[in-house]
Amino acid sequence: MERRQDRREQMDELAAAIRECRRCPLWKDARHAVPGEGNIDAQLLFVGEAPGQREDLTGRPFVGRAGALLEELLAGIGLSRGDVFIANIVKHRPPGNRDPRESEVAACTPYLERQIRLIGPAIIATLGRHSSRYILSKVPVDFERITDIRGRIYAAEVFGRAVRIIPTVHPAAALYNPRYRAMLEEDFRTIEEEIRRLPDTAATPHSQG
Ligand code: URA
């Protein structure tokens, strides 16, 4: 793998390119792009859907109420935001938080692909239907409902790297529905077990490069 410093620089350049991106029309209504953030050495990558209102205002992923729940779930397995990398399949907010369109996902996902290649995570946890559909299309796995496949572990090669994909429900869906919250808690325990099984048990090999 390339040196940490080189990857850091490439990640910064990528974030700058995302901020300038005009590949689809979403930038027109957005205040800020949300490239993603976290530890570029993370073993665990979270992939959400698209920025919401607070993310659009701040340029940071998962900083609203769904983000607070994500942080709580992370703390429950002994991790914090700085241990993981958090990204989305779509980097600009769709107006009114509508679902991203297929054309927008297609235009934007080369950025996520580049992020996955730079980070080289061992585990990708997909949050919600849209990101699960995109990442699992690489396996390939098709599904109707996220609840049919959540919490399973899919071993696959994604962008040249052997990864374990763990789809789960979106934290926003769990804000008002205790059943979804219980699913998330269960799936985070699965994530925790998978981290323990990694050859190097540290979720954050900070010492690289
Ligand atoms: N929901 C997402 O899918 N991503 C964010 O960054 C925030 C909310």
Side-chain angles (χ1 to χ4, degrees), residues 119-151:
I119 299 163
I123 301 168
I124 301 178
T126 54
L127 303 170
R129 188 162 46 98
H130 293 282
S131 63
S132 300
R133 197 171 294 293
Y134 172 70
I135 295 291
L136 286 176
S137 72
K138 309 289 162 201
V139 177
V141 168
D142 196 14
F143 63 91
E144 280 292 313
R145 289 169 306 189
I146 183 72
T147 46
D148 294 338
I149 50 135
R150 56 146 278 259

Side-chain angles (χ1 to χ4, degrees), residues 48-52 55 61-62 88 170:
E49 180 180 321
E55 291 76 21
F62 281 96
N88 284 304
H170 198 288

Side-chain angles (χ1 to χ4, degrees), residues 11-143:
M11 193 63 96
D12 290 346
E13 281 166 20
L14 185 62
I18 291 169
R19 291 190 189 101
E20 303 278 292
C21 184
R22 304 291 183 260
R23 286 186 196 170
C24 84
L26 286 180
W27 65 274
K28 291 183 188 168
D29 292 306
R31 297 277 294 271
H32 292 101
V34 182
E37 66 183 30
N39 184 347
I40 58 160
D41 293 324
Q43 300 260 41
L44 173 58
L45 167 69
F46 284 94
V47 181
E49 180 180 321
Q53 190 177 28
R54 266 213 80 69
E55 291 76 21
D56 181 55
L57 285 174
T58 58
R60 299 184 57 210
F62 281 96
V63 288
R65 293 186 60 213
L69 176 54
L70 179 61
E71 285 181 23
E72 198 182 320
L73 290 158
L74 277 173
I77 60 169
L79 296 175
S80 66
R81 288 176 79 101
D83 295 319
V84 302
F85 198 94
I86 304 174
N88 284 304
I89 48 169
V90 168
K91 313 295 193 191
H92 282 103
R93 182 190 186 208
N97 291 352
R98 65 159 169 76
D99 287 349
R101 299 193 171 121
E102 243 174 68
S103 58
E104 293 158 354
V105 173
C108 208
T109 40
Y111 293 124
L112 178 65
E113 172 182 341
R114 185 84 190 108
Q115 288 173 320
I116 293 173
R117 287 186 191 278
L118 283 172
I119 299 163
I123 301 168
I124 301 178
T126 54
L127 303 170
R129 188 162 46 98
H130 293 282
S131 63
S132 300
R133 197 171 294 293
Y134 172 70
I135 295 291
L136 286 176
S137 72
K138 309 289 162 201
V139 177
V141 168
D142 196 14
F143 63 91

